[in-house]
Structure formats: structure tokens, C-alpha cells
């Protein structure tokens, strides 16, 4: 995420008025790197590329089944609720715009994405994303560590401008979680991120703009799994998958 979080929208991306003078998105086409193989049955991110205002950039797209809901801190579509897609978009360093939610909506529209979605941003090379898998859980991470530090920083540090860098984490799992467990899953993913950064030899807990999305099926009458802490069955899998992905990304991004 970049910038302050806006209120989540349940009715899809905000409209873009004709007068809006954002970065023109000239094309969106499939990027064709060597294919990455996720375990059978696990939700796969699509790596795409686009051209904006002279920049060649990448983004990841997850097209979600209607039965899934997302808990996230994303700048677009944050909160808990049904989401039709997740977008993790690369932006240039020195990002000039002050409307990241609208910018993400523009990218989503160019991709043909409709309905409510969750959108994240990063200045990291999205094509260098890393993944971790454990027992049906997939964690997909983009790692930008140019502006990093500790969460509990002196007050003077909290007023510094936040340049885009960002560790963005998207977790998908096949088991329904209760509301509390979804929030717990975000906390578990964050704990695993910090552990991985320390294991990579970095003296930080992350960047000021890190974001997390967790996608899981809607719970049925049983309410879903009640726990997703690191010692619960699904929380432990989330932690291991996130740790694997963040550690791999941190070792190459430092």
C-alpha cells in the first residue's frame, strides 16, 4: 500500500471522470516469463505488464471465485468482504500521484476487472515476486525494502514522507475462516514477515507502507475455522508460506 488507506468500497472501483489527468495506460498485455508452477488446485496469480507515461511496469492479478472473501489493508477495497479480484501493481519510484485508489481503479478497468476488488501498490519489481506454499496455503510476495525501519519508531520518524517501497503479501487458502480468524491470519502473516526479515539479516520490521491480503472461502453454517494464530493448523501453514516467500524476496532485494 502507498499513502493513507481510503474507505473500502463494496460496489467496485470508483468511476474515473473524463477530466482526470492521470498517467495514461496505453496498453495491457500478457507478460510471458518462464511459467511458475503452483501446486495443483491452488489459486494462481497472473503476471501482466503495461505501459504508463513512458514506463514499462508489471502487475499481478488474482481473479477470485465468487465464494471467496478477502481481509486486507489494501489502499483500494481494504477491510473484510467479498472481492472479485486482487491487484498488486508496480508504480515508478518517486510516485507523484495522490490518488492511489483511483489509479488502481484505472489499472483494474484496463484489465477488464469488474465488481469489488482489493488493490495494492509497490515500487518493487513485481516481476520478481516470490511464493511460498504449505499445505494448501499460497503466499505471494513482492519485496521492496528501500525505505525500511522498525514499527515502533521515535515520533519524529513518523512524520517523514513515505516513498514507495513496500512488502506486499497476498495469501490464499482453501479453508473458510471466521471474521476473527481472518484478522488473526493478517497478524500471523505479519509476524512471519518480520521473522523472515530478521532471518535475512535485516534490522527492520518492514516498511511504512506494507500491506497484506488474505483470501479464503466464505464460511458456512459452522462459521469457519475459529483460529489462525501461528500455532493453529491453518495459521502455522500461513506463517510458513509467508516466511518462505518473504525470506526469498528479502535475500534478493537487499
Amino acid at each position: 500500500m502507498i499513502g493513507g488507506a481510503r474507505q473500502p468500497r463494496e460496489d467496485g472501483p470508483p468511476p474515473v471522470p473524463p477530466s482526470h489527468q492521470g498517467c495514461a495506460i496505453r496498453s495491457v498485455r500478457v507478460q510471458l516469463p518462464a511459467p511458475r508452477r503452483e501446486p495443483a488446485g491452488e489459486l494462481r496469480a497472473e503476471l501482466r505488464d503495461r505501459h504508463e507515461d513512458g514506463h514499462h511496469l508489471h502487475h499481478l492479478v488474482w481473479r477470485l471465485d465468487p465464494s471467496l472473501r478477502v481481509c486486507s489493508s489494501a489502499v483500494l477495497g481494504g477491510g473484510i468482504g467479498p472481492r472479485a479480484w486482487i491487484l498488486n501493481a508496480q508504480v515508478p519510484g518517486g510516485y507523484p500521484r495522490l490518488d492511489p485508489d483511483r489509479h488502481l481503479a484505472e489499472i483494474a478497468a484496463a484489465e477488464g476487472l469488474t465488481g469489488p476488488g482489493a488493490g495494492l501498490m509497490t515500487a518493487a519489481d513485481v516481476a520478481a515476486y516470490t511464493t511460498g506454499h504449505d499445505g494448501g496455503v499460497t503466499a505471494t510476495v513482492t519485496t521492496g525494502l528501500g525505505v525500511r525501519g522498525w514499527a515502533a519508531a521515535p515520533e519524529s520518524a513518523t512524520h517523514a514522507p513515505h516513498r514507495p517501497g513496500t512488502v506486499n503479501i497476498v495469501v490464499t487458502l482453501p479453508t473458510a475462516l471466521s471474521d476473527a480468524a481472518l484478522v488473526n491470519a493478517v497478524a500471523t502473516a505479519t509476524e512471519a514477515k518480520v521473522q523472515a526479515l530478521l532471518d535475512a539479516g535485516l534490522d527492520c520490521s518492514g516498511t511504512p507502507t506494507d500491506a497484506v491480503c488474505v483470501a479464503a472461502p466464505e464460511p458456512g453454517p459452522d462459521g469457519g475455522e475459529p483460529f489462525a494464530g501461528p500455532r493453529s493448523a491453518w495459521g502455522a501453514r500461513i506463517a510458513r508460506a509467508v516466511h518462505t516467500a518473504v525470506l526469498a524476496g528479502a535475500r534478493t532485494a537487499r
Side-chain angles (χ1 to χ4, degrees):
M1 181 179 78
I2 294 174
R6 306 293 180 91
Q7 291 297 314
R9 299 182 60 93
E10 297 292 342
D11 56 350
V16 180
S19 61
H20 180 64
Q21 298 298 315
C23 299
I25 302 175
R26 296 206 307 270
S27 66
V28 178
R29 61 182 174 81
V30 178
Q31 174 75 4
L32 297 173
R36 305 193 185 202
R37 299 185 181 276
E38 276 76 15
E42 295 189 13
L43 186 63
R44 179 172 181 166
E46 301 173 32
L47 179 63
R48 312 279 288 182
D49 70 2
R50 70 188 191 281
H51 294 270
E52 284 189 33
D53 197 26
H55 297 284
H56 182 200
L57 303 166
H58 295 90
H59 54 272
L60 289 167
V61 177
W62 290 257
R63 302 175 195 271
L64 305 182
D65 186 274
S67 66
L68 294 181
R69 65 176 183 159
V70 173
C71 177
S72 83
S73 60
V75 69
L76 174 67
I80 298 178
R83 301 289 183 264
W85 46 268
I86 300 172
L87 174 68
N88 185 10
Q90 180 183 357
V91 297
Y95 184 66
R97 292 182 61 163
L98 301 177
D99 58 347
D101 53 347
R102 187 177 297 280
H103 188 186
L104 284 161
E106 294 168 2
I107 298 169
E111 271 288 355
L113 302 174
T114 59
L120 309 91
M121 280 186 170
T122 180
D125 179 8
V126 167
Y129 72 94
T130 54
T131 59
H133 308 276
D134 195 289
V137 174
T138 297
T140 305
V141 175
T142 53
T143 308
L145 294 168
V147 182
R148 60 180 184 262
W150 297 104
E155 184 176 2
S156 59
T158 64
H159 301 299
H162 294 162
R163 293 180 292 145
T166 311
V167 179
N168 282 340
I169 300 170
V170 176
V171 175
T172 62
L173 64 155
T175 296
L177 301 178
S178 69
D179 285 359
L182 267 176
V183 176
N184 206 176
V186 172
T188 295
T190 302
E191 289 184 50
K193 175 198 72 175
V194 176
Q195 181 182 348
L197 293 175
L198 296 178
D199 286 348
L202 299 171
D203 58 344
C204 65
S205 57
T207 84
T209 53
D210 291 355
V212 181
C213 286
V214 178
E218 289 270 8
D222 64 353
E225 291 288 328
F227 305 112
R231 293 288 73 83
S232 68
W234 285 100
R237 293 166 185 163
I238 290 169
R240 289 189 293 264
V242 170
H243 182 271
T244 296
V246 173
L247 183 60
R251 283 174 169 167
T252 58
R254 54 181 305 182

